[in-house]
Amino acid sequence: MKKIVVAVIGCGVIAPTHAEALRTLPEVELRYAVDLLPERAERLRSRFGFTRALTDFHQALADPEVNLVSVCTEHAAHAEPVIAALAAGKNVICEKPLGANPAQLRAMLEAHRRRPDLIFGGIFQHRFEPANRVLRELLAEGAFGQLLNVNLFMNCLRTNAYYQADAWRGTWAREGGGVLINQAIHHLDLLRFLFGEVAEVTARCVNAAHQGVIETEDNAALALRFESGVLGAAAITNASAENWRSGLIISGTSGYLEYLDEQPTRMEFGSDERNAEIAERFRRALAAPETLPGKAYYGGGHRAQLADLVAAIREGRPPEVTAETAAGTVRLVCAIYASSRSGNWMRPGELI
């Protein structure tokens, strides 16, 4: 079994989730914890058993045995280490969003085109959660009949203090946006995972509750048309009194589902027997234990996604979530912002 030697670049909020997931996988060595703040790098090193703590990621890239780099920096700082790691011959996994703006995204994808032999993936861990996979199977099986429309809502709370604690948050230059590119991007990615590519989108984004604190949006409403013809709508905010609540309502000619916090809460599939059968499929999926500690809204998918990526390196195949797959969701977010600015319908596939 090929040994995977890891450098984690960026030792902030999400890095412990990567480290915890990676250290549970066979023949994976955590070698370098890298952060501009030496105390933060040392904290991650000592907690998870990395060999060394560093402040310069180039030192980690100079080690010929490192064959996986996990990029966990702030949004605007993703591009530099990703591009450098690919140039140094390292496989890469990058946290969401892959890029904070179209220029960064283009540069990273171009760096990978120069090294197509390397694995480059982007984190969207909710694709790996068992209940979401059951829902995708039901859609693929045609359980809803002709799919008519889907409605998404996502409510969470990010206070003024949250934004004031880190200078990069709530800025166009360093975060790349607000609630859409940070919190709701996971839910927008699930729309693509479940219903396919978005053909066009129109949106309005506003700063409703954080005036004078952030320059980006905390509230958005949008309408979508998927390439399949299915229509969708979404209402999204991170200024809600109800913290971390999300859901989908899916309507079809043969099926209806209310899916709250990634659990079915109401369904109608034509008969009690069929409802019971589908409910049991979800029950079995939800009975699987969470595999990681940490914030509940992360879910348990990081370990499964990182396990898939490590297996892809060993097997010489693309990971389930490639960089191009992850880039598609960033394109959708950028199209939403462009629509809000212009007032026009935008086509994500024509961006970047």
Side-chain angles (χ1 to χ4, degrees):
M1 182 180 290
K2 181 178 181 180
K3 187 174 184 179
I4 305 299
V5 179
V6 179
V8 172
I9 299 175
C11 300
V13 174
I14 197 61
T17 301
H18 282 234
E20 177 66 23
L22 287 164
R23 76 171 178 176
T24 67
L25 302 177
E27 288 299 304
V28 171
E29 176 191 335
L30 301 181
R31 184 164 294 182
Y32 298 106
V34 187
D35 198 281
L36 292 173
L37 299 177
E39 65 275 14
R40 196 154 63 180
E42 176 56 30
R43 193 158 53 240
L44 195 75
R45 186 209 65 77
S46 62
R47 179 177 173 186
F48 292 101
F50 286 82
T51 304
R52 291 187 62 191
L54 300 172
T55 57
D56 182 355
F57 69 76
H58 294 96
Q59 290 181 260
L61 299 185
D63 185 335
E65 293 187 345
V66 169
N67 52 11
L68 175 58
V69 173
S70 175
V71 176
C72 298
T73 60
E74 66 179 65
H75 294 186
H78 285 174
E80 183 184 4
V82 164
I83 293 167
L86 291 168
K90 314 301 186 184
N91 303 294
V92 177
I93 182 70
C94 182
E95 258 296 337
K96 60 80 186 170
L98 206 58
N101 57 56
Q104 290 181 0
L105 193 59
R106 280 192 293 268
M108 284 188 279
L109 295 177
E110 179 57 35
H112 191 221
R113 281 190 281 271
R114 292 192 292 269
R115 290 300 308 263
D117 55 308
L118 298 172
I119 302 299
F120 179 22
I123 288 287
F124 277 119
Q125 77 273 13
H126 294 298
R127 290 175 177 243
F128 291 81
E129 291 171 12
N132 291 336
R133 295 199 167 222
V134 169
L135 179 51
R136 192 172 193 239
E137 290 167 3
L138 290 170
L139 289 160
E141 292 164 9
F144 290 84
Q146 179 185 353
L147 199 56
L148 301 171
N149 58 62
V150 57
N151 289 276
L152 163 70
F153 78 89
M154 193 222 77
N155 295 333
C156 69
L157 177 62
R158 287 294 182 255
T159 64
N160 286 346
Y162 164 87
Y163 282 110
Q164 291 163 340
D166 289 290
W168 65 277
R169 296 192 184 278
T171 64
W172 289 110
R174 295 178 65 184
E175 188 166 16
V179 62
L180 290 169
I181 205 166
N182 195 323
Q183 292 86 36
I185 193 169
H186 288 292
H187 304 273
L188 296 171
D189 183 69
L190 270 183
L191 290 181
R192 294 181 59 237
F193 178 66
L194 295 170
F195 305 105
E197 296 301 333
V198 174
E200 56 182 352
V201 61
T202 186
R204 291 294 180 271
C205 305
V206 299
N207 180 353
H210 295 91
Q211 292 92 349
V213 179
I214 66 173
E215 60 188 36
T216 58
E217 86 293 345
D218 62 12
N219 199 36
L222 49 134
L224 316 97
R225 182 177 66 82
F226 293 88
E227 289 182 355
S228 64
V230 173
L231 301 179
I236 291 163
T237 184
N238 68 1
S240 171
E242 175 61 69
N243 191 15
W244 288 111
R245 197 79 160 163
S246 65
L248 294 170
I249 297 176
I250 306 168
S251 296
T253 55
S254 301
Y256 172 88
L257 179 67
E258 294 178 10
Y259 192 63
L260 182 62
D261 290 335
E262 300 180 355
Q263 297 190 41
T265 55
R266 183 176 178 183
M267 65 178 69
E268 180 51 67
F269 288 94
S271 69
D272 291 343
E273 292 78 12
R274 180 63 168 151
N275 289 345
E277 174 195 335
I278 291 174
E280 176 60 17
R281 289 172 68 174
F282 278 114
R283 188 201 65 77
R284 289 196 300 268
L286 291 163
E290 294 290 345
T291 56
L292 287 176
K295 299 175 182 177
Y297 55 82
Y298 289 174
H302 270 93
R303 185 183 187 280
Q305 181 169 3
L306 289 164
D308 171 74
L309 186 112
V310 165
I313 295 171
R314 290 181 171 138
E315 297 165 13
R317 61 164 175 84
E320 185 167 328
V321 185
T322 64
E324 183 55 44
T325 301
T329 301
V330 181
R331 290 189 186 101
L332 175 55
V333 172
C334 290
I336 293 168
Y337 289 143
S339 174
S340 184
R341 288 191 294 268
S342 69
N344 299 323
W345 285 84
M346 300 298 297
R347 296 178 177 273
E350 296 177 357
L351 296 176
I352 314 176

